[in-house]
Amino acid sequence: EAQVTQNPRYLITVTGKKLTVTCSQNMNHEYMSWYRQDPGLGLRQIYYSMNVEVTDKGDVPEGYKVSRKEKRNFPLILESPSPNQTSLYFCASSKGPGNSYNSPLHFGNGTRLTVT
Amino acid sequence: GQNIDQPTEMTATEGAIVQINCTYQTSGFNGLFWYQQHAGEAPTFLSYNVLDGLEEKGRFSSFLSRSKGYSYLLLKELQMKDSASYLCAVVGGYQKVTFGIGTKLQVIP
């Protein structure tokens, strides 16, 4: 089954304790992206990757890191989490953004992160 | 920069038709997506427009006017399961995808 898999689904942690949220897709998609979703703010892009070893900042990259060593994996790293990073996070992938009808984003099930 | 506006909430009756509007200002335009998101779940793709006009997919249709920076999603024969948030997302210059805050639709009996 074609899917984007995120783990964990729920995570409670404390300020400053490094964490990684994993994301994997099995559709051979080139484009992958991380979003956070907060009430009243919608989905905001954190980082995206157009292909292996190519990553770029989105709208809210501060406090986050990513890597794209393999096509299928795009982990999100919080080196020193803070309470303002408490949010619902989504990983997404597509064949590529742009004017192709067949390039919608496929989303993972989300990771609800709480930083105390 | 990119700015996308859509109503925050709407309510409609089961069996009726509802139109959800989205207006945008972007530097460059490479298409507009609509996604559906049920509470606590991931967004799922509904429709895509890159040329002016109407795209129809069953009970759902989406319209685009590039000159007006305007799109709408039309839902016909509303069902209770259509209660969800509907997200407008614009692909702007440099293929940057920006989402609106979403319109929460409540379908009532």
Side-chain angles (χ1 to χ4, degrees):
Chain A
E1 179 189 354
Q3 59 185 359
V4 179
T5 303
Q6 275 180 247
N7 281 297
R9 289 293 307 276
Y10 301 92
L11 179 59
I12 300 174
T13 189
V14 295
T15 298
K17 185 176 182 181
K18 180 180 178 179
L19 66 91
T20 299
V21 185
T22 63
C23 175
S24 180
Q25 51 92 5
N26 62 1
M27 294 169 279
N28 201 36
H29 283 167
E30 293 188 347
Y31 180 88
M32 297 186 75
S33 182
W34 276 101
Y35 294 87
R36 60 178 290 175
Q37 188 173 37
D38 303 288
L41 295 176
L43 281 164
R44 292 181 293 167
Q45 190 178 53
I46 303 170
Y47 269 95
Y48 65 97
S49 169
M50 299 289 281
N51 214 324
V52 176
E53 302 293 359
V54 180
T55 62
D56 280 295
K57 295 178 180 178
D59 296 314
V60 288
E62 294 78 20
Y64 304 94
K65 286 175 58 177
V66 293
S67 68
R68 188 91 183 273
K69 294 185 172 66
E70 307 162 282
K71 198 171 189 177
R72 63 183 292 124
N73 294 324
F74 191 46
L76 179 69
I77 303 156
L78 284 72
E79 294 271 3
S80 183
S82 62
N84 65 10
Q85 293 178 297
T86 293
S87 187
L88 178 59
Y89 290 86
F90 286 103
C91 178
S93 73
S94 75
K95 292 182 182 179
N99 58 357
S100 168
Y101 185 85
N102 293 314
S103 294
L105 288 166
H106 297 256
F107 287 84
N109 285 331
T111 296
R112 188 167 291 281
L113 172 66
T114 302
V115 183
T116 61
Chain B
Q2 304 193 141
N3 186 49
I4 300 174
D5 288 312
Q6 49 180 135
T8 306
E9 295 181 347
M10 298 183 71
T11 301
T13 305
E14 189 176 15
I17 299 173
V18 71
Q19 178 175 312
I20 302 174
N21 296 324
C22 171
T23 58
Y24 62 90
Q25 296 95 39
T26 62
S27 50
F29 180 80
N30 289 295
L32 186 147
F33 289 93
W34 284 95
Y35 291 87
Q36 181 190 59
Q37 185 179 25
H38 285 99
E41 297 182 8
T44 56
F45 169 70
L46 284 178
S47 69
Y48 175 76
N49 297 72
V50 66
L51 300 176
D52 290 352
L54 190 67
E55 293 278 344
E56 298 187 78
K57 292 175 68 175
R59 294 190 300 115
F60 292 69
S61 303
S62 57
F63 171 83
L64 175 67
S65 169
R66 288 173 297 172
S67 62
K68 295 181 179 177
Y70 169 68
S71 173
Y72 68 72
L73 180 69
L74 195 70
L75 291 75
K76 304 174 186 174
E77 301 170 15
L78 278 172
Q79 302 175 10
M80 298 301 291
K81 67 178 182 179
D82 296 330
S83 292
S85 289
Y86 292 86
L87 314 180
C88 173
V90 175
V91 185
Y94 300 102
Q95 308 299 339
K96 179 175 172 53
V97 180
T98 302
F99 284 82
I101 63 171
T103 299
K104 186 175 182 179
L105 173 67
Q106 182 182 16
V107 180
I108 57 176

